[in-house]
Amino acid sequence: MQHLEHDRLIFLALGESEADNADRTHLDACPHCRAELAGLREVAGLGRSTQSLRDLPDPPEHLWQGITAEIRAAEQLPTLTTARPTPADQRDGPVAPRSRRPRRWVRYAVTAVAAAAVGIAGTAAVLREGTPPPPSVTASAQLAAYGSTPPQARGDARVLGSGELHLHVANLPPVSGYYEVWLINPQNMEMFSVGVLGGGSDVLLPLPPNVDLGQYSVVDVSAEQFDNNTAHSGDSLLRGSLTG
């Protein structure tokens, strides 16, 4: 069974995209993807719950003192000696001691304590900065198959308050070139390219800061060839109008 793409699960967990029928059908039948989505949602929930945390205290001083003491103690451990076995005919002679380094577990323990402390400090620093809330959605569009595109092809587009276009597509027909995303003015059919979709089902594309979505309100996904021609190919696969 082919699993849902990790990026798709992230968008679902963050609430930046809604599960369509294909997603729900797959999640109902795939415990692996359900578990991964549940874990991502838990992480997203923890991030949202810490948005109000700003002034967490630094790790206590005694924690650092304990780490320093452990390191110094490990450095000052005495050299251990062990009698080297000798043949029976040499047992009456002197036995040469063999030096050994401090036990490896001591170094591991000190390293683990230090790593834990660093983790606490790092977590506190991250939480102190705060977790930004997910961007708002200012406009959205349902994308439907266009022209001769198979009817099962579909998608949705959402304009985020961060100035990006989030696009999710499904069941696009294979093409020999690549997929390109456009915004079109339906009044005069002027258009400009927003970016390339790539091989995944989700993409975030930056929008020009001065774009007028009241005029360029149609989202179009086209099939393009590697022909060095920057104009629209005329082969539209999906289209939909932004509202909101």
Side-chain angles (χ1 to χ4, degrees):
M1 176 186 293
Q2 183 176 0
H3 297 298
L4 292 177
E5 294 182 3
H6 186 68
D7 288 348
R8 178 59 178 159
L9 292 172
I10 291 175
F11 280 114
L12 292 175
L14 292 175
E16 294 188 4
S17 184
E18 297 181 359
D20 54 29
N21 290 334
D23 294 333
R24 287 190 288 269
T25 300
H26 180 85
L27 289 170
D28 289 341
C30 181
H32 172 83
C33 288
R34 284 201 308 274
E36 186 172 358
L37 179 59
L40 290 170
R41 281 175 172 165
E42 183 177 358
V43 173
L46 289 173
R48 284 190 289 269
S49 67
T50 58
Q51 290 175 18
S52 59
L53 298 179
R54 292 294 184 271
D55 298 320
L56 290 180
D58 291 331
E61 183 63 26
H62 68 80
L63 180 61
W64 298 114
Q65 293 175 354
I67 294 172
T68 302
E70 289 288 345
I71 294 174
R72 289 175 178 171
E75 291 175 345
Q76 296 173 4
L77 282 175
T79 299
L80 303 179
T81 60
T82 303
R84 180 181 300 172
T86 58
D89 59 352
Q90 298 180 5
R91 286 179 181 171
D92 295 335
V95 177
R98 181 181 59 176
S99 64
R100 287 169 51 185
R101 295 180 180 177
R103 293 183 183 273
R104 186 175 300 173
W105 66 266
V106 175
R107 297 196 300 274
Y108 288 168
V110 173
T111 302
V113 173
V118 171
I120 293 172
T123 302
V126 171
L127 294 180
R128 194 176 293 116
E129 292 297 327
T131 304
S136 59
V137 177
T138 60
S140 62
Q142 293 294 317
L143 307 182
Y146 186 84
S148 59
T149 306
Q152 63 267 29
R154 63 190 184 282
D156 60 76
R158 305 199 306 167
V159 178
L160 306 181
S162 57
E164 297 170 300
L165 179 70
H166 170 223
L167 196 71
H168 169 67
V169 299
N171 303 324
L172 284 180
V175 297
S176 58
Y178 58 97
Y179 306 108
E180 193 161 1
V181 183
W182 307 77
L183 284 179
I184 301 176
N185 185 336
Q187 302 300 321
N188 54 21
M189 296 310 293
E190 289 183 354
M191 63 184 71
F192 65 89
S193 172
V194 180
V196 175
L197 178 59
S201 59
D202 282 88
V203 68
L204 272 176
L205 299 172
L207 292 171
N210 58 345
V211 61
D212 186 351
L213 296 178
Q215 294 185 8
Y216 291 89
S217 58
V218 174
V219 179
D220 176 278
V221 179
S222 68
E224 302 291 336
Q225 300 296 323
F226 296 105
D227 52 10
N228 293 323
N229 186 350
T230 59
H232 193 292
S233 65
D235 185 9
S236 292
L237 304 178
L238 298 175
R239 276 194 186 180
S241 295
L242 292 169
T243 59

